[in-house]
Every structure is written in structure tokens, then in C-alpha cells.
């Protein structure tokens, strides 16, 4: 607690110091805050840019006052003054345009933003002149491993759709499931249809079980990981097919096997008939020729063999 | 004279002609037997979610299938001794197919264990043994070549099944895929149809004669399976060496991708290592068959096998020393060579030792005894990795488990060959052990004439 107050004091001091160089500074763009800004915890992210642009991903769980600091080493012609401003989601933030002085071979832009809800999340960029840009992407933890291919199941069967939040990411408070209805999402409530749906939640994993599938159950399902700041979504597609679908290739293969086996056996029969009728005399001859090598039970045993 | 298989023969093995069609049939049967259990692992994740079981419970499916396949060996041998290869393979194909089709309607994991694991595994056993046996009846001079080509079925079919299974899974989910796989595996029946008994064209003989002759001199059990093999010197050498070897044989394949990922390599490159390995294996098997057939190697083919086993051992001992992704690729290539060599010769040397006639019983006994190390090997290796936290001790262990049998084989076969030569020189009525040896020499002398006469 003392530490965060100290940090806040430090930020205010910095503000006052930079006030001498910067004409105006107003608090960041926020919707009418539901929570007084000063009671939110604070956090800071700073990036030092050497090239032309950089993107930094910032993962947030709870509402926070986030101070974003950009430092740029400049290009070949280091002008003493350049204009810098902030953008949110591509639109310039009101009253954020300032003149940045070259200090210690660097330019610096800093601003505090109040991130309270889903609308506050997004892309914040600090822009130096028209040359350098650092983008901060503010988001709640994203669901990494989602199946990109559809899950296939059958009419009358049940299916398990799962979503997982990686071990490296913070665990969500709870999970929600939604089914896509046109362009909307409808939340699935188990109490409404307890025979059809089951939701099994563990800390980092959630499973939606749908029983007694029908073709209408196919489509996109969304799992939402609920965090204080917002709910992140992952989606999985479900395809419901009838049992006739795999049956067709199966029957085709069985027919192919029957045809081949019949062909091979018929070919062999025709061959053996030919040989039997032709070679009946010849085979006897062949037998006497190979008598000395004969290993069959009726053959004579040579010194080289012993019958077993 | 090539000792005939339990089927009757009135002439020397054709060494060609329809034999190559039989080799193709064996290629399919052997391929499905080895590749099918491995390729099913692609469905495990979804089945695991569907039935809400743990990872080890789903891994049991593979183990049950493999155990059934190995335990079914003697059953298969007995049936082959009695009925010949063709009907057994066709029944086996029907069994696997039925197992898969029934499994596609499964409601519990137990259902899958029974249908895919037990019935499927047994069906595959009925495919493997007869396929190996029939090669011995069709080939003598070119047998190592035929064996090498037939054994290449395993990597080739695995290579085809892996992407096919992925496609089926994406299109039909696991149930539909199992149904279609039931159809695909029915092609083993086609392979069986090709396995025409070798004397069919010349002279039909009453099938009961040979067993009766044999039973008079050997007793009741020998009508079904030849247990006098346990007194056979060569068979014992083979058995002892193989039992030790199989502890370290498959684990490096199972853990290759995991080892690569442990080194920091991404998933796709790790999978690519396995593809390199499979590709090299695929070409090495017929190549080994070709080398084994050459007149320098054939008479002393046991040494070639000993070399192959030792080579595997050395390969694993050196593996942990190779750094980076390039080192792993080199290892995958060399391992592919070594693995392919051993696989191509695995059954050829058994045939060479016991002769084609007793091979069917021999391979049945060998597979059921090898069942233990094959099933225990990977989990034990996994335990080594878990205990030490790194893979190099597992590789050292596997290397030792292969090098020691390799050296054992070299030494024992040196003595065995000496004894065989002695027995031949003494010119006593020699038994089947020497028969093979004498044949090798005769065949290598007659190889020129044999080439002229074969079709």
C-alpha cells in the first residue's frame, strides 16, 4: 500500500517537472469513471524504441490506472523539438498533442490512462512526429489453444467442447458459454435445459457437454473467460452429421475388398485348373526328378535330413 | 534342402513368380500389424475428452492392443501349422474389421478396450505370423530380400495411415473414422487371398498327412506347436538376446519427439524428425534385405544381425552427445538406418536358425515371450526420464540394452557356427540346425544356376 502511494507521488512529481516543458496535460481519455480515478491501483509500462515502430502486448486483469511511457532515441537529424501525441484505436486522443524536447539524446512521452472496462482496452499508441510509433495493445488474457478445425459429432450422440487457459496465464474468475445465433451470441444456461447441457468448470479448463445432438446444434460456440476487466472469447465450431456419412465410404471399401478377393480367388482357380489338366503327367516326372531333394513325408530321407 | 513349412511341398520353393505377389500380401499384413496400433494414437485426445478418462487410461488402449497382438502369437502359430497361412490371415482381417466397427458404436472405454484392444489385437496377431511364415515357404535363395521388402510394409503403411487418419478425424470425428478404418483394414483379407499355399498348382495332397507323421515321433503337443525348439541352440540364443534387446528397442522411437521438444525444438520440427526416421527406415529395410542376400553375407547372416543390433546400441550411446537440431537430424538418420537393419533381419535370422518348417512355432513362442519387454520398455524408460529429469540416462540405458545383446550375439553365433561346421563335417545325420547351414553353402554355390531357373 505504501509503495503504490509512493509511486503515485513520484508520478505526480514527474508531471510537475515535465509541466515546465509541456504546456497542457489533461488526464487520459476515459468514459465517465464509475470508480473515482484515484482509488484504482496503478501500474506502469515503458518501452524504449530504437527503430521506427514497436508493438508491446500488455495483459490486464483488473481495472487499473496505467501509465504508459515511450522513449525514443531519435533519428539522424535530432531536432531539439518535435510534436508527439497519443492515439487510441487509431483515433487521436483529445488534447494529447504536445511538444517534446530532446533530453539526454532522447525524446519521451508519458501519459496515464484509466482502464476500467472493456471499452478502455484496445490499442494505445504514442507517436513522435510522423516517424516513430510505439503501440501498446491492452487486453485481458487471450485463450491460446483453441481448436481451429470443427469438432465432428453425430445426431443423437453427445459431444464435449473444451476451452483451456494456458498455465502461463492468470486464471479467470469464471467461465461462460455462448452459442452463436446469427451474428449474436446467446449465453447457454444449464438451468434452462439441464437435460441437454452440462458445464464442467475447473480453474483453467471448461467443458460444455451437449447431449442428444440434432443438426440444429451445429455452429459456433464461444467460451468466455471472465476477468474483472473484461471477458475474453475463444470459439469452437461444431458440425453435426448423420451416421450415413461415414457409412458410404465404408460400404465402398467393403465392396472393393469383396471384388478383389473374388478376382484373386477366381484367377487362382482358373490357373490351377489349367495346370492340373495340362501338367498331370508332367508333375509326376518332376517328382521323380526331385526325389533326391524331396523333403515331403513320402520322400526318402537323405543323410542331410532328419524327419521330425 | 529347404525345410518345408508345415504345409506340404513337392518341390523346391519357387523363389519368384507368384512369390512376389505373396510378398506384396505379406507387406500389407505386416504393415497393418505394426502400423495400425501406432496410428490410432491420433484419436486418443478426443476419445479421452469424450469418455472423460485420464491420459494413462487411454494409453492403455495401445498397450492392450499390443499385448493381445503379442500374446496371440502362439494361437496364430498353432492355427497356421494346422490350416496354412491364407485362412488365418483372412480371419484375422475380418476380426480387426469387426473390432473397429463394433468400437465405433462404443459407449464406454471398456467397450473400446475389448473391441479395439483385445479383438483388434488378436486379429493383427493372426495377420503377422502367417505373413512371416508364408515367405519362408515361397523363398529360400532370395529370402532375405523378400523379408526385407515385406518388413518395409510397416513404415510405408504408417506413413500412409498417419495423414489418412488425420483426414478421417477432421471429416468424421472418431466414431466415423473407426468405422471407415474397419473397412480399410479389411484389405488384409485381400492380402490373405494372395497367400496361395505354395503347392496348390502342382499336386493336391491330403492335409492330414504331415501332422500325423510328426505326432508319432514327437508327442501330442507337437501337433500344435513345436516346443522342442527350447532345446534348439540357435533358437535359445535368439530368444535370450531378443528379450534383453527389446527393452531398449522401441523406447527411443517413442521418445524421439519428446526429447527434441525437451531440447527446445518446436513441435513441427520435432515431428519432422520422426518423418526423417521413418523415411530412412523405409528404404533401409529392402536395402538390408538386398545386402543380406549377397553371397558374402548370406552364409554368415547372423553376424550381420549382431552388427545391426550393436550398431543400434552405439547409436543410442552417442546420441546425447550430438548438439542442436542438426545433431538430432543426424541421429534420426543413423537411428533410421540401424532400426531398419534390425527390423529387416529380425525374422530372417530366426528363419535361418530354425528353418522354414519350424518357423511358425518359433515365431509364436518368441512373440509371446517378447511381450514382456516390449510392453515394459517404454514405461521403464519413461520412469528413467522422470527420475533423472533428463533424457540422456534413458539413451545410455537403451544403448546398453542393445549393445550387450549385440555382443552376446556375436560371441554365441561364433561358437554356434563353429559347432554347425563341425557337425556338418562329421557327416552324421544332422538335424534341422545344420540343414539350413548346408543349404546356405549349397545355395551360394548354386546361386548361378538358381538364377537361371527361377521365374
Amino acid at each position: 500500500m505504501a509503495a503504490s502511494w509512493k509511486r503515485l507521488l513520484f508520478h505526480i512529481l514527474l508531471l510537475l517537472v515535465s509541466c515546465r516543458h509541456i504546456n497542457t496535460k489533461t488526464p487520459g481519455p476515459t468514459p465517465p469513471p464509475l470508480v473515482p480515478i484515484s482509488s484504482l491501483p496503478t501500474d506502469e509500462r515503458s518501452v524504449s524504441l530504437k527503430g521506427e515502430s514497436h508493438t508491446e502486448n500488455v495483459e490486464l486483469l483488473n481495472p487499473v490506472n496505467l501509465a504508459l511511457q515511450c522513449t525514443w532515441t531519435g533519428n539522424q537529424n535530432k531536432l531539439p523539438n518535435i510534436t508527439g501525441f497519443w492515439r487510441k484505436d487509431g483515433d487521436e486522443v483529445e488534447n494529447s498533442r504536445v511538444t517534446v524536447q530532446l533530453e539526454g539524446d532522447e525524446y519521451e512521452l508519458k501519459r496515464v490512462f484509466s482502464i476500467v472496462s472493456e471499452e478502455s482496452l484496445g490499442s494505445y499508441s504514442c507517436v513522435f512526429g510522423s516517424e516513430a510509433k510505439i503501440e501498446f495493445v491492452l487486453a485481458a488474457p487471450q485463450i491460446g489453444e483453441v481448436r481451429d478445425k470443427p469438432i465432428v459429432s453425430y445426431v443423437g450422440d453427445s459431444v464435449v467442447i473444451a476451452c483451456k487457459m494456458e498455465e502461463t496465464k492468470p486464471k479467470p474468475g469464471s467461465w461462460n458459454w455462448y452459442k452463436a445465433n446469427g451474428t449474436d451470441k446467446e449465453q447457454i444456461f444449464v438451468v434452462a435445459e439441464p437435460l441437454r447441457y452440462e458445464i464442467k468448470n475447473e480453474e483453467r479448463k471448461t467443458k460444455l457437454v451437449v447431449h442428444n445432438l440434432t443438426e440444429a446444434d451445429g455452429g459456433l460456440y464461444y467460451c468466455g473467460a471472465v476477468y474483472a476487466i473484461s471477458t475474453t472469447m475463444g470459439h469452437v465450431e461444431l458440425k453435426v452429421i448423420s451416421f450415413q456419412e461415414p457409412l458410404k465410404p465404408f460400404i465402398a471399401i467393403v465392396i472393393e475388398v469383396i471384388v478383389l478377393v473374388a478376382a484373386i480367388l477366381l484367377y487362382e482357380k482358373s490357373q490351377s485348373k489349367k495346370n492340373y489338366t495340362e501338367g498331370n503327367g508332367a508333375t509326376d516326372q518332376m517328382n521323380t526328378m526331385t526325389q533326391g531333394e524331396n523333403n515331403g513325408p513320402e520322400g526318402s530321407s537323405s543323410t542331410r535330413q532328419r524327419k521330425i | 534342402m529347404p525345410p518345408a513349412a508345415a504345409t506340404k511341398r513337392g518341390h523346391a520353393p519357387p523363389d519368384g513368380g507368384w512369390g512376389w505377389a505373396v510378398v506384396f500380401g505379406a507387406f500389407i499384413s505386416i504393415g497393418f500389424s505394426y502400423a495400425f496400433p501406432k496410428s490410432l494414437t491420433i484419436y486418443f485426445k478426443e476419445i479421452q475428452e469424450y469418455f472423460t478418462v485420464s491420459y494413462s487410461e487411454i494409453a492403455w488402449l495401445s498397450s492392450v492392443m499390443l499385448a493381445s497382438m503379442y500374446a496371440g502369437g502362439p494361437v496364430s502359430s498353432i492355427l497356421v501349422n494346422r490350416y496354412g497361412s491364407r485362412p488365418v490371415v483372412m480371419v484375422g482381417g475380418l476380426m480387426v474389421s469387426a473390432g473397429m466397427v463394433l468400437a465405433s458404436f462404443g459407449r464406454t472405454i471398456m467397450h473400446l478396450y475389448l473391441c479395439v484392444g483385445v479383438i483388434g489385437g488378436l486379429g493383427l496377431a493372426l495377420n503377422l505370423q502367417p505373413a512371416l511364415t508364408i515367405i519362408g515357404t515361397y523363398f529360400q535363395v532370395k529370402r532375405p530380400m523378400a523379408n526385407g521388402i515385406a518388413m518395409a510394409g510397416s513404415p510405408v503403411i504408417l506413413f500412409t495411415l498417419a495423414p489418412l487418419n488425420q483426414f478421417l478425424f477432421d471429416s468424421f470425428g472418431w466414431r466415423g473414422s473407426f468405422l471407415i478404418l474397419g473397412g480399410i483394414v479389411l484389405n488384409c483379407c485381400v492380402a490373405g487371398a494372395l497367400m496361395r499355399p505354395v503347392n496348390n498348382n502342382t499336386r493336391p495332397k491330403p492335409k492330414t498327412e504331415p501332422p500325423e507323421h510328426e505326432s508319432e515321433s514327437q508327442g501330442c503337443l507337437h501337433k500344435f506347436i513345436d516346443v522342442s525348439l527350447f532345446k534348439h541352440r540357435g533358437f535359445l540364443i535368439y530368444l535370450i538376446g531378443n528379450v534383453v534387446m527389446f527393452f531398449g528397442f522401441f523406447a527411443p522411437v517413442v521418445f524421439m519427439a519428446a526429447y527434441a521438444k525437451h531440447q527446445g525444438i518446436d513441435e513441427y520440427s520435432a515431428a519432422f524428425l520422426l518423418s526423417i526416421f521413418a523415411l530412412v527406415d523405409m528404404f533401409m529395410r529392402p536395402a538390408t534385405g538386398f545386402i543380406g542376400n549377397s553371397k558374402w553375407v548370406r552364409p554368415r547372416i547372423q553376424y550381420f544381425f549382431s552388427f545391426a543390433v550393436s550398431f543400434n546400441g552405439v547409436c543410442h550411446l552417442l546420441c546425447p552427445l550430438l548438439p542442436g537440431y542438426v545433431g538430432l537430424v543426424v541421429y534420426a538418420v543413423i537411428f533410421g538406418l540401424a532400426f531398419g537393419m534390425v527390423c529387416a533381419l529380425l525374422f530372417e535370422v530366426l528363419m535361418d536358425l530354425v528353418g522354414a518348417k519350424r518357423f511358425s512355432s518359433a515365431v509364436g513362442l518368441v512373440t509371446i515371450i517378447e511381450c514382456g519387454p516390449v510392453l515394459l520398455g517404454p514405461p521403464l524408460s519413461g520412469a528413467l526420464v522422470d527420475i533423472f529429469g533428463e533424457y540422456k540416462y534413458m539413451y545410455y540405458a537403451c544403448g546398453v540394452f542393445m549393445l550387450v545383446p549385440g555382443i552376446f550375439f556375436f560371441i554365441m553365433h561364433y561358437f554356434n557356427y563353429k559347432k554347425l561346421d563341425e557337425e556338418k563335417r562329421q557327416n552324421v545325420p544332422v538335424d534341422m540346425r545344420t540343414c539350413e547351414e548346408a543349404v546356405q553353402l549349397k545355395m551360394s554355390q548354386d546361386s548361378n544356376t538358381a538364377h537361371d531357373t527361377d521365374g
Side-chain angles (χ1 to χ4, degrees):
Chain A
M1 205 46 204
S4 64
W5 278 115
K6 278 200 183 130
R7 257 203 281 160
L8 189 55
L9 215 56
F10 179 64
H11 289 325
I12 295 174
L13 273 170
L14 254 174
L15 260 165
L16 291 171
V17 165
S18 47
C19 252
R20 285 211 261 135
H21 304 280
I22 297 167
N23 290 327
T24 55
K25 190 166 168 76
T26 51
T30 42
L34 300 161
V35 182
I37 296 177
S38 54
S39 72
L40 285 178
T42 54
D43 200 356
E44 179 180 317
R45 291 278 191 278
S46 62
V47 171
S48 188
L49 178 66
K50 293 201 169 47
E52 281 203 4
S53 71
H54 176 81
T55 308
E56 178 93 354
N57 285 313
V58 180
E59 202 172 82
L60 296 171
L61 303 177
N62 300 304
V64 71
N65 273 333
L66 187 66
L68 296 175
Q69 177 185 2
C70 300
T71 318
W72 185 43
T73 52
N75 55 10
Q76 280 100 339
N77 35 332
K78 299 217 174 178
L79 302 164
N81 287 325
I82 56 170
T83 29
F85 62 94
W86 289 89
R87 276 206 200 112
K88 180 187 186 301
D89 293 330
D91 302 319
E92 186 171 327
V93 172
E94 278 179 27
N95 301 325
S96 69
R97 206 167 263 268
V98 291
T99 315
V100 185
Q101 298 268 9
L102 179 69
E103 271 176 68
D105 217 25
E106 286 180 339
Y107 301 100
E108 187 186 289
L109 264 179
K110 189 165 173 159
R111 197 175 179 92
V112 179
F113 297 96
S114 255
I115 315 295
V116 289
S117 67
E118 187 152 355
E119 289 85 36
S120 335
L121 295 172
S123 155
Y124 289 83
S125 309
C126 58
V127 187
F128 291 96
S130 54
E131 296 147 54
K133 181 177 85 158
I134 300 174
E135 186 183 357
F136 295 87
V137 181
L138 273 52
Q142 297 296 308
I143 299 175
E145 313 166 15
V146 240
R147 213 185 129 81
D148 47 354
K149 291 188 219 149
I151 295 182
V152 178
S153 194
Y154 293 88
V155 174
D157 198 9
S158 52
V159 73
V160 176
I161 309 177
C163 268
K164 193 172 132 177
M165 182 58 75
E166 285 155 35
E167 299 290 321
T168 51
K169 300 211 173 132
K171 47 184 188 242
S174 65
W175 292 89
N176 289 333
W177 280 94
Y178 308 86
K179 184 176 185 325
N181 196 353
T183 44
D184 298 320
K185 305 184 185 67
E186 259 179 43
Q187 185 161 3
I188 297 174
F189 295 103
V190 180
V191 280
E193 285 175 280
L195 295 172
R196 292 249 297 152
Y197 294 109
E198 247 183 270
I199 296 182
K200 300 183 193 162
N201 285 339
E202 289 160 42
E203 287 182 340
R204 285 208 156 80
K205 252 175 39 170
T206 180
K207 287 191 196 162
L208 174 70
V209 186
V210 189
H211 295 290
N212 262 329
L213 285 170
T214 60
E215 301 228 343
D217 285 320
L220 271 177
Y221 285 79
Y222 295 89
C223 56
V226 179
Y227 292 97
I229 188 83
S230 86
T231 304
T232 48
M233 300 282 195
H235 64 265
V236 186
E237 192 187 334
L238 176 68
K239 251 171 64 173
V240 182
I241 57 179
S242 82
F243 215 74
Q244 327 284 31
E245 298 262 336
L247 204 60
K248 289 182 235 158
F250 173 72
I251 291 183
I253 298 175
V254 170
I255 292 178
E256 167 249 319
V257 167
I258 294 177
V259 164
L260 282 177
V261 171
I264 293 171
L265 293 176
L266 283 172
Y267 171 72
E268 182 179 321
K269 220 172 182 180
S270 71
Q271 280 267 313
S272 78
K273 265 201 201 133
K274 213 167 50 160
N275 279 346
Y276 195 71
T277 49
E278 278 178 18
N280 221 346
T283 49
D284 291 322
Q285 263 184 1
M286 216 162 72
N287 280 333
T288 44
M289 267 193 336
T290 58
Q291 196 62 12
E293 304 176 38
N294 201 340
N295 199 24
E298 80 286 357
S300 55
S301 57
S302 67
T303 52
R304 282 195 184 167
Q305 354 168 275
R306 181 186 84 188
K307 279 209 287 258
I308 287 203
Chain B
M1 196 25 42
T7 54
K8 27 297 139 201
R9 225 172 343 132
H11 58 91
D15 261 298
W18 187 253
W20 296 115
V22 171
V23 167
F24 179 67
F27 179 92
I28 305 271
S29 275
I30 294 174
F32 273 109
S33 298
Y34 283 121
F36 199 69
K38 289 184 208 159
S39 67
L40 286 182
T41 53
I42 242 173
Y43 300 106
F44 281 3
K45 190 148 184 249
E46 192 185 321
I47 298 179
Q48 186 189 344
E49 301 250 343
Y50 182 88
F51 288 114
T52 327
V53 290
S54 69
Y55 179 70
S56 64
E57 281 176 289
I58 199 73
W60 264 101
L61 195 60
S62 270
S63 308
V64 172
M65 198 171 196
L66 219 55
S68 285
M69 199 170 102
Y70 275 78
V75 175
S76 195
S77 299
I78 295 172
L79 290 173
V80 171
N81 282 340
R82 203 161 177 107
Y83 299 109
S85 293
R86 175 187 269 169
V88 181
V89 172
M90 293 183 83
V91 167
L94 284 170
M95 271 183 90
V96 188
S97 176
M100 292 305 286
V101 170
L102 285 173
S104 72
F105 294 101
R107 291 278 151 212
T108 64
I109 190 93
M110 215 30 157
H111 191 135
L112 287 189
Y113 286 153
L114 276 171
C115 294
V116 178
V118 177
I119 301 180
L122 201 56
L124 290 179
L126 294 182
N127 262 285
L128 181 63
Q129 249 78 296
L132 295 168
T133 307
I134 200 166
I135 294 178
T137 68
Y138 265 89
F139 287 90
Q140 177 55 47
V141 178
K142 296 210 177 122
R143 200 179 59 203
M145 185 82 233
N147 264 315
I149 296 177
M151 291 299 281
S154 171
V156 167
I157 299 237
L158 185 61
F159 219 67
T160 351
L161 274 185
L164 180 68
N165 274 1
Q166 186 66 52
F167 168 73
L168 285 176
F169 178 56
D170 293 336
S171 316
F172 299 106
W174 71 270
R175 285 189 193 275
S177 301
F178 274 20
L179 185 67
I180 297 182
L181 281 174
I184 291 177
V185 95
L186 212 52
N187 280 296
C188 287
C189 292
V190 178
L194 286 171
M195 293 182 191
R196 187 193 298 175
V198 85
N199 69 331
N200 230 15
N201 279 348
T202 55
R203 195 178 42 187
K205 262 202 283 196
K207 289 194 182 215
T208 54
E209 269 186 53
E212 277 172 352
H213 276 254
E214 291 166 50
S215 62
E216 276 160 26
S217 49
Q218 285 171 304
C220 206
L221 185 60
H222 290 181
K223 256 201 286 211
F224 299 106
I225 199 165
D226 189 354
V227 277
S228 73
L229 280 165
F230 283 111
K231 292 192 220 135
H232 188 296
R233 206 167 47 226
F235 178 75
L236 284 174
I237 299 173
Y238 182 85
L239 189 63
I240 295 171
N242 269 35
V243 164
V244 179
M245 175 180 97
F246 270 92
F247 275 107
F249 193 46
F250 290 113
V253 190
V254 171
F255 286 104
M256 194 187 290
Y259 177 54
K261 281 188 234 176
H262 182 84
Q263 305 272 62
I265 308 230
D266 67 277
E267 204 169 309
Y268 289 107
S269 306
F272 188 56
L273 281 177
L274 272 172
S275 305
I276 298 177
F277 166 77
L279 214 56
V280 174
D281 181 21
M282 208 185 287
F283 286 105
M284 197 54 194
R285 295 192 192 200
T288 306
F290 182 70
I291 298 173
N293 230 126
S294 68
K295 65 175 191 274
W296 302 282
V297 180
R298 186 84 195 273
R300 292 287 190 254
I301 204 168
Q302 301 296 335
Y303 289 144
F304 191 31
F305 182 62
S306 318
F307 166 73
V309 175
S310 316
F311 184 36
N312 260 288
V314 170
C315 180
H316 296 320
L317 286 172
L318 295 179
C319 165
L321 303 177
L322 297 169
Y325 186 62
V326 178
L328 280 173
V329 171
V330 170
Y331 168 70
V333 170
I334 298 185
F335 183 31
L337 291 173
F339 193 82
M341 264 201 274
V342 172
C343 284
L345 293 172
L346 196 62
F347 296 107
E348 169 57 34
V349 293
L350 184 60
M351 268 187 227
D352 180 72
L353 285 167
V354 303
K357 187 170 184 186
R358 297 164 92 182
F359 176 76
S360 171
S361 310
V363 78
L365 293 170
V366 157
T367 50
I368 196 171
I369 297 175
E370 278 171 5
C371 192
V374 165
L375 286 176
L376 290 174
L380 281 178
S381 307
L384 269 176
V385 175
D386 288 337
I387 294 174
F388 290 103
E390 50 173 325
Y391 284 83
K392 68 175 187 194
Y393 294 106
M394 180 205 95
Y395 278 103
Y396 289 148
C398 290
V400 167
F401 269 111
M402 297 221 62
L403 193 56
V404 168
I407 296 174
F408 170 77
F409 280 137
F410 265 122
I411 299 174
M412 297 308 287
H413 281 301
Y414 172 70
F415 288 118
N416 194 33
Y417 274 133
K418 261 176 89 169
K419 272 234 139 169
L420 288 174
D421 290 339
E422 260 175 46
E423 283 165 6
K424 186 180 72 86
R425 253 179 280 128
Q426 284 168 21
N427 223 3
V428 291
V430 292
D431 60 8
M432 293 302 190
R433 295 175 231 172
T434 54
C435 206
E436 206 60 22
E437 175 60 18
V439 162
Q440 316 294 24
L441 290 174
K442 182 173 193 300
M443 282 301 165
S444 57
Q445 289 161 17
D446 294 351
S447 60
N448 288 331
T449 46
H451 280 303
D452 294 335
T453 52
D454 91 83

